[in-house]
Amino acid sequence: MDVHQDSFSLCALAASSGEIIRETRCSADVKNIVKFIKHLSENESNQVTLGYEAGIWDYSLHNRLVELEYDCVILAPSTMYSNAKHQMVKNDHQDAQMIAHNLASGTYKAVYVLDQEDDEVKEFIRLIKAMKRELKQTKQRIRAFVLRNGFRFERTPWTGVYLEWLSQLQCPHRL
């Protein structure tokens, strides 16, 4: 599966022969993946391994498919085999085929899927880092604003004294 925010490109490949059995492009909904699998012959649908490159869907798509009792793998993009021609001309259709071939031949490394607790910790750490980055940017904007308007604080910024000094500044009415 080549997965994006709004669409999935799906490719079914016979592992034994390497022959493409079925392909489609659909909206990004797990129901469409299930429908695609159900349209495969009974013999083919019994041995389905689903896979997609690590990216925007993170673990959510994987976890949903595992809940539905499908074997699903998240492939590390840097470990997948890809020929030079594919590097020059990339599209979703070809990416789905490449992912299917990598799954069938085992020429990839799977991404370790975190359990729920570890995933929650990872998300919490991401939020903290984002908030710290935004706080730093906001402080830089305030200091630049103060300097542009001719005010200068000679001591260490962002202390209680500095915050008190900021609150006492007499800026023009519009500012």
Side-chain angles (χ1 to χ4, degrees), residues 2 9 40 49 56 67 75 95 100 106 162-163:
D2 186 45
S9 291
L40 298 173
T49 299
I56 191 167
E67 282 175 14
L75 292 79
D95 285 349
Y162 180 72
L163 295 175

Side-chain angles (χ1 to χ4, degrees), residues 33 52 55 61 80 89 93 97 120 122-123 127 137 167:
I33 297 170
Y52 62 96
L61 179 59
M80 295 169 48
V89 180
H93 164 79
Q97 287 181 359
E120 290 170 358
K122 179 194 74 167
E123 289 298 328
L127 285 172
Q137 290 172 347
S167 70

Side-chain angles (χ1 to χ4, degrees), residues 99-114:
I99 292 166
H101 283 288
N102 275 279
L103 275 171
S105 62
T107 52
Y108 67 92
K109 289 198 186 219
V111 171
Y112 173 72
V113 178
L114 300 176

Side-chain angles (χ1 to χ4, degrees), residues 111-171:
V111 171
Y112 173 72
V113 178
L114 300 176
D115 63 24
Q116 184 175 350
E117 184 178 352
D118 287 344
D119 191 36
E120 290 170 358
V121 168
K122 179 194 74 167
E123 289 298 328
F124 181 71
I125 290 169
R126 277 186 181 168
L127 285 172
I128 288 173
K129 285 182 177 181
M131 289 176 63
K132 284 183 177 183
R133 191 171 42 251
E134 290 173 22
L135 178 61
K136 180 180 178 181
Q137 290 172 347
T138 300
K139 287 179 175 181
Q140 289 170 339
R141 285 187 199 105
I142 291 170
R143 290 190 71 194
F145 171 80
V146 169
L147 282 173
R148 277 194 313 271
N149 286 280
F151 301 106
R152 187 173 185 88
F153 188 76
E154 298 296 332
R155 295 191 194 146
T156 306
W158 307 112
T159 61
V161 174
Y162 180 72
L163 295 175
E164 181 66 30
W165 177 79
L166 279 176
S167 70
Q168 303 296 323
L169 289 180
Q170 296 295 317
C171 294

Side-chain angles (χ1 to χ4, degrees), residues 13-16 21 37-48:
L13 184 86
S16 57
I21 302 166
I37 294 168
K38 290 189 182 201
H39 280 97
L40 298 173
S41 72
E42 187 175 313
N43 193 29
E44 295 158 344
S45 64
N46 287 337
Q47 303 169 7
V48 171

Side-chain angles (χ1 to χ4, degrees), residues 56-113:
I56 191 167
W57 285 89
D58 206 29
Y59 305 118
S60 62
L61 179 59
H62 170 275
N63 294 342
R64 182 68 184 114
L65 291 167
V66 168
E67 282 175 14
L68 295 172
E69 299 183 359
Y70 290 105
D71 182 23
C72 185
V73 178
I74 302 174
L75 292 79
S78 62
T79 66
M80 295 169 48
Y81 170 77
S82 175
N83 62 28
K85 181 182 175 186
H86 183 262
Q87 296 294 334
M88 290 189 291
V89 180
K90 284 181 59 81
N91 63 43
D92 298 345
H93 164 79
Q94 288 176 328
D95 285 349
Q97 287 181 359
M98 182 197 60
I99 292 166
H101 283 288
N102 275 279
L103 275 171
S105 62
T107 52
Y108 67 92
K109 289 198 186 219
V111 171
Y112 173 72
V113 178

